[in-house]
Amino acid sequence: MKAFAAVGGSLCLAATALATDLFNEASYPSGNVIKRDFVVVGGGASGTYAAVGLHDQGKSFILIERSGRLGGQTETYTEPSSGTKVDYGVQAYNNISLTRDFFARFNVPVTEFTFPPAAEPVYADFTTGAVVEGFKPGTLGSDYTTELNKYPYLDGGFFLPDKVPEDLLLPWGEYVEKYSLQDSTWATTVARPAPPGNLLEILAIYVFHAFNALEVSLGQGRENGLQTANYDNSEVYENAYSELKANVLLNSTVIAARRSSSRKGGVQLVVKTATGYKLVIAKQLILGVQPVLDTMKPFGLDSKEQSILSKLRGYPYYAGLVSNTGLSNSSWYTNVAAKTPYNVPNLPDFTFFKPTLVEGQFLYWYSALQPTSRAQIESEAVSTINKLHAIAGTKALAKPRFDAFADHTPFHVYVTAEDITNGFYRDLYSLQGYKNTWYISATFARGSSQIWNNTANMLPEIIAAAG
């Protein structure tokens, strides 16, 4: 008699007490047991790219994604009346062959990145609601690149020397002062892509890692980034799903796992899906999610894994679209604190309100030090929009409408300076392949293009491990 079954989309309570039955094939209907060489968890940039790579090499896999779509932080809104696409997650990609090849693989045309529509920058203190007169954003200069070139091992990962340079463990504000990087401070804090956390207290190692040589080439205008020609960065993931969907479980979450220490033992995952509970049996597990403890709870960490992954933290970070603002799309409002070092805004607050291709609609990014509710953020957005009207000399004629919201927490995961000194990243890399588990997420690389490149570099070793 089966001790475990999916009944009406829920578990038999008596069965859940018998944990061993969760991993017993006989406890499931035959159609609810999935056997593959690889199981990929997380359908964002890294997980989708890994799944495509496995598919193109003829490997068997199943991709598990908790939401109803692929793409992760690549999120796109469609304006109902016009069909206009607005990206409110990932904005741009590095212009490298790997990026171009991946979009071409799914017949998605790309073009040079621009921030549409053309808009005049307005630098204002969002706290006071006043324009910061005379403010001029600094540009990225040789003062920064000279320092960056000291640390080539931060390109594409954290391949640190045994003795980590003490300078890398300085808060960024102190590093700026020590090496007189004042000219580049604005570009390396507020102006760099999606800057989370207290921008002057973040460790220098994370600034150099995020704003590496590829990003510098963009910041200095030596390279034009890429975006999809249709202003729809989700298109590549939609096309990927159309091709992979027979091997994708959307709206699905892992609730329990067994991972063997031997290659022969492989992994077993119990997955809650929209059509019941399924048992996934695979040789190798590929994790395309940030391996913070809350995410890793179902995977049955041992003491080694627990001691390493428990150190990871992530910043709260949010994005959204607000329309019916009454503001003109001819202005782009950036938050510049009038009375802080280097004009870095205090948190929590908005990074900017940037116009989109939809009249009266603005994209915003919101950075915080503690998790913040959508209701709170949208309430603050209304207050800030009223301040922007005062700056523009206009009046809000109607209540703003919030079209989309995204919670990107945990964003840009990090550890303390002490943890880095004690070999955290050495220990983290030692987990690759341990208990048949591989980590390919944004923990190691920033930005979709660099995440894809990191995944491409790892796939041969992962495939070889399956035998």
Side-chain angles (χ1 to χ4, degrees), residues 146-169:
T146 296
E147 294 305 310
L148 174 65
N149 290 338
K150 295 178 180 179
Y151 315 113
Y153 40 78
L154 293 177
D155 270 352
F158 293 93
F159 307 108
L160 304 176
D162 290 337
K163 182 174 175 53
V164 180
E166 292 182 3
D167 282 347
L168 281 179
L169 306 181

Side-chain angles (χ1 to χ4, degrees), residues 25-63:
E25 291 183 55
S27 299
Y28 296 81
S30 58
N32 285 12
V33 177
I34 301 170
K35 295 183 178 181
R36 298 287 193 275
D37 286 336
F38 303 92
V39 54
V40 183
V41 176
S46 61
T48 300
Y49 192 91
V52 171
L54 294 169
H55 172 78
D56 288 352
Q57 295 185 57
K59 306 302 180 181
S60 68
F61 70 92
I62 189 76
L63 172 59

Side-chain angles (χ1 to χ4, degrees), residues 181-214:
L181 304 186
Q182 287 83 356
D183 289 346
S184 293
T185 304
W186 176 260
T188 57
T189 54
V190 179
R192 69 184 173 90
N198 187 315
L199 302 179
L200 295 177
E201 293 183 6
I202 292 173
L203 299 183
I205 188 174
Y206 292 117
V207 176
F208 287 124
H209 178 255
F211 211 42
N212 58 24
L214 271 175

Side-chain angles (χ1 to χ4, degrees), residues 99-171:
T99 302
R100 297 191 296 272
D101 291 346
F102 190 57
F103 281 106
R105 164 72 177 75
F106 291 102
N107 300 311
V108 177
V110 295
T111 188
E112 290 185 359
F113 174 72
T114 58
F115 273 121
E120 288 295 320
V122 176
Y123 299 103
D125 189 321
F126 286 7
T127 300
T128 64
V131 171
V132 180
E133 299 293 347
F135 173 80
K136 293 183 179 180
T139 57
L140 190 66
S142 60
D143 55 347
Y144 178 78
T145 54
T146 296
E147 294 305 310
L148 174 65
N149 290 338
K150 295 178 180 179
Y151 315 113
Y153 40 78
L154 293 177
D155 270 352
F158 293 93
F159 307 108
L160 304 176
D162 290 337
K163 182 174 175 53
V164 180
E166 292 182 3
D167 282 347
L168 281 179
L169 306 181
L170 291 174

